[in-house]
Amino acid sequence: MDDRSRGVNTEAAETVSASRALAVSGQGDMVWGHVAVRDGRGRGIWIKAPGWGLEETRGDRVQLVSFDGEVLVGSGAPHKECHIHLEFFRMYSDLQCVAHTHAQAAIAFAALNTPLLPISHDAAIFGGADVPRFDITGGLINTPELGVALAQVLGESPAVLMPKHGLVAAGRSVPAAVMHAVLLERSCALQLRAMAAGPIDVYSDAAEARIKREQCWPESQLVAGWNYLLRMADAATADAVIRRMHD
Ligand SMILES: [Zn+2]
């Protein structure tokens, strides 16, 4: 029996899982940041409702938003930055999931305006290329026009840095999009740590980075990382319940 036959919408459930996975990876920013999953019937996107943290996302706290920005399922207005997801999905028909967070290391790293170097497995996801950056505005992506401009920066990259703001990551699967966000944030954090200690001398050249991308980050490994994050999210929930019982 699949989720749909049990009356639970698959994409809504995936949106919940993706939100909780990003939260447990440390990319929560109180009630800001969101993940969206493409609706399987072409009606639009499933996205967390405003006012909730990523870790608080549940099945009744997601919305189905049409490509015209109309809330078809759920209540209230959508996130002001839903245009990120709407325009990414509109521009790239193969994308299944898009994540936007205000990840702290990504913001700090973007402020340095220096190339992201493949000093680790994580950064090899970019195959030796720098992470593309969106530099039109550091403000909210609150119009379709800004959403289109941001989507154009993605190209073939797994993610985009948004200086003065955060990151956006995309994938042809939900695990890929979430892991792309995680790998970018971890890459930025590690390079910040190295740069704080001195100049960086050792990193993969483009050829090695491309090989490492194939070795380290096939879909199976992205799924393995995703499954780990879901287990950690479940454990965090269980811990919170136990703490409440003992309060
Ligand atoms: Zn934002």
Side-chain angles (χ1 to χ4, degrees):
M1 183 185 293
D2 66 21
D3 282 348
R4 217 177 285 273
S5 61
R6 285 196 297 265
V8 178
N9 179 278
T10 302
E11 293 88 3
E14 288 176 333
T15 304
V16 173
S17 295
S19 300
R20 297 177 72 236
L22 276 172
V24 82
S25 81
Q27 295 201 30
D29 177 24
M30 300 178 71
V31 298
W32 299 286
H34 23 82
V35 191
V37 175
R38 184 190 294 277
D39 178 61
R41 290 196 269 164
R43 294 172 296 175
I45 63 169
W46 291 89
I47 184 171
K48 175 179 75 63
W52 303 104
L54 290 171
E55 71 281 8
E56 296 180 300
T57 310
R58 306 187 318 211
D60 58 350
R61 294 173 179 168
V62 297
Q63 299 167 324
L64 172 61
V65 180
S66 77
F67 284 105
D68 296 326
E70 184 185 352
V71 175
L72 303 176
V73 174
S75 57
H79 273 285
K80 288 188 179 71
E81 293 192 301
C82 65
H83 300 289
I84 296 174
H85 310 276
L86 292 171
E87 300 310 327
F88 271 63
F89 286 129
R90 207 192 311 265
M91 190 173 296
Y92 303 99
S93 60
D94 57 344
L95 288 186
Q96 185 63 24
C97 181
V98 175
H100 166 59
T101 73
H102 301 161
Q104 294 202 343
I107 297 170
F109 177 76
L112 300 180
N113 200 25
T114 192
L116 185 70
L117 299 174
I119 65 172
S120 66
H121 290 345
D122 294 346
I125 192 70
F126 292 95
D130 190 10
V131 55
R133 291 145 212 255
F134 174 72
D135 57 10
I136 291 177
T137 178
L140 296 183
I141 309 302
N142 55 5
T143 67
E145 292 73 21
L146 284 169
V148 168
L150 177 57
Q152 285 171 336
V153 176
L154 181 73
E156 294 295 311
S157 179
V160 172
L161 270 183
M162 302 166 71
K164 303 169 280 183
H165 187 159
L167 64 80
V168 59
R172 296 187 184 95
S173 69
V174 179
V178 168
M179 284 298 292
H180 290 165
V182 170
L183 294 173
L184 175 54
E185 170 67 354
R186 284 167 38 129
S187 300
C188 292
L190 198 57
Q191 186 165 335
L192 284 171
R193 193 169 171 181
M195 290 173 70
I200 293 175
D201 276 342
V202 179
Y203 53 91
S204 296
D205 60 20
E208 184 175 76
R210 282 196 294 273
I211 290 168
K212 287 186 63 172
R213 180 176 59 191
E214 303 310 315
Q215 288 176 335
C216 300
W217 305 120
E219 182 73 13
S220 63
Q221 291 304 291
L222 298 175
V223 170
W226 155 261
N227 285 333
Y228 169 80
L229 291 172
L230 293 185
R231 291 196 299 274
M232 292 304 102
D234 285 347
T237 302
D239 284 349
V241 170
I242 291 167
R243 276 199 304 276
R244 276 200 296 275
M245 287 169 61
H246 290 279
D247 278 347

